[in-house]
Amino acid sequence: MVDALGVAVVGFGWMGRVHTRAYARLPHHYPRLPLRPRLIAVAEEVPGRAEEAAERFGFASATRDWREVAADPRVRAVSVTVPNFLHREIGVAMAEAGKHLWIEKPVGLTAGDARAVADAVAGAGVQGAVGFNYRNAPAVETARELIASGELGTVTHVRIRFFSDYAAHPDTALTWRYERERGGSGVLGDLASHGVDLARFLLGDIAALTADTAVFVPERARPSGATAGHAPAAGGEPGPVENEDYAGCLLRFASGARGVLEACRVSVGEQNSYGFEVHGTRGAVFWDFRRMNELRVSRGSAYQDQPVSTVYVGPGAGEFAAFQPGAANAMGYDDLKVIEAYRFVRSIAEGTPYGTTLADAVYSATALDAMAESARSGRWVSLRARRTE
Ligand SMILES: NC(=O)c1ccc[n+]([C@@H]2O[C@H](COP(=O)([O-])OP(=O)(O)OC[C@H]3O[C@@H](n4cnc5c(N)ncnc54)[C@H](O)[C@@H]3O)[C@@H](O)[C@H]2O)c1
């Protein structure tokens, strides 16, 4: 017996489209899910964009006012895919209206914002999921199991990198992403938030950290009209970039392992160069998002000159079997969002969290706040004394 689940999407830029496609594809990949998303409403502030979304993607209604979505009794679950400064207001309002919430990272501008949304979700008794999609990669889940199994020995150190060139061009428009008021932090919230989530997913809690940040492109051109994604705005009036392009962090894990987390949005020559290298006393595991279904693994008892082999993950690794029948058939970015949608809808069907929750967003945001604080003070910051839930 399959019931319909009325869903809505608020904010129809890049992520709004990806969430919508994920809802639409759920029955293809997860036919046994007892709830089937039905696209009820899309809210988007740019004139005409919601209507176009309804026309192209099949939403039953379109509006420029997200409050209409909150008030719509047909809508039981909402994707919040708006810029960061709106996460708190819209996320809290949707939860208080009794809507299950799938919200994009970093969930607001600060840990306080993320906690407000988490509290609203808990208070309303609805389910909440967050867009930390990289942990959904089957190879990442396999790496986590490998680490937990002890086969690599005791983890000693890890390098996590999130390098991108999406803002490397000096003509990239000065969108909400570069403003404190609407974007909050820069690459910290945008990319390092994923890095913190991966670090904790793989290795557990971070005890303390220190960070350094920098702005490398201090001025950009203001866009003349509506934007989505990373549009250019050559010739526009210049304005200041208010948040960091780069963050470099040292991490000390509660386990005693050490880590380096680096994130940069202006790395020429790096396109989605996201990944990790985890080293243990007997082995190591390496993952690169651009080769999402591969792990490079070194294991054995040689210690020195121990070979590294490539493992193509397949059915049996995470959710791989829902997408392809055999190893080395490539999955893509959108598939990670289908997995996220599956876990979100399953948590609604079963009435219990399955996959990421708002607690993960609070944790990540707390670490990001600590990184910003450390960059200002030049000191190590302990996370032990902080509320991370
Ligand atoms: N998980 C990931 O991998 C990932 C990737 C990219 C972005 N994100 C996150 O997703 C969010 C959106 O990013 P994006 O790249 O889609 O941005 P975007 O600029 O492409 O889209 C945002 C959309 O929200 C709309 N919007 C703004 N104010 C609105 C309002 N009041 N009501 C309705 N719509 C409104 C904008 O017009 C725009 O269409 C951000 O929080 C970002 O951090 C996550």
Side-chain angles (χ1 to χ4, degrees), residues 124 127 138 150 152 186 191 227 246 271 297 317 326:
Q127 298 298 324
L152 307 180
L191 297 180
T227 62
Y246 169 86
Q271 293 90 31
V297 182

Side-chain angles (χ1 to χ4, degrees), residues 25 32 130 161 190:
R25 284 176 54 197
R32 281 189 288 279
V130 182
R161 69 175 195 290
D190 209 29

Side-chain angles (χ1 to χ4, degrees), residues 10-16 43-46 49 64 66 81-84 86-87 90 104-106 131 133-134 176-177 190 194 227-229 333 337:
V10 178
F12 210 73
W14 179 28
M15 277 306 107
E44 164 59 54
E45 98 168 336
V46 173
R49 204 176 267 180
R64 284 184 68 190
W66 59 264
T81 50
V82 285
N84 303 350
L86 292 166
H87 290 176
I90 300 179
E104 267 308 327
K105 43 58 60 177
N133 29 262
Y134 298 105
W176 60 268
R177 281 195 160 79
D190 209 29
H194 285 296
T227 62
Y333 176 85
K337 285 303 203 196

Side-chain angles (χ1 to χ4, degrees), residues 61-148:
S61 58
T63 174
R64 284 184 68 190
D65 184 0
W66 59 264
R67 288 175 186 80
E68 287 180 16
V69 171
D72 190 334
R74 298 171 301 168
V75 173
R76 288 178 55 206
V78 177
S79 279
V80 173
T81 50
V82 285
N84 303 350
F85 76 105
L86 292 166
H87 290 176
R88 179 178 182 152
E89 183 186 9
I90 300 179
V92 167
M94 292 302 172
E96 286 178 348
K99 315 294 186 200
H100 302 289
L101 185 68
W102 179 14
I103 188 166
E104 267 308 327
K105 43 58 60 177
V107 187
L109 307 179
T110 61
D113 284 355
R115 200 168 292 121
V117 179
D119 288 348
V121 163
V126 294
Q127 298 298 324
V130 182
F132 290 127
N133 29 262
Y134 298 105
R135 63 154 77 182
N136 298 326
V140 171
E141 293 196 63
T142 302
R144 185 190 201 215
E145 285 162 17
L146 192 62
I147 293 163

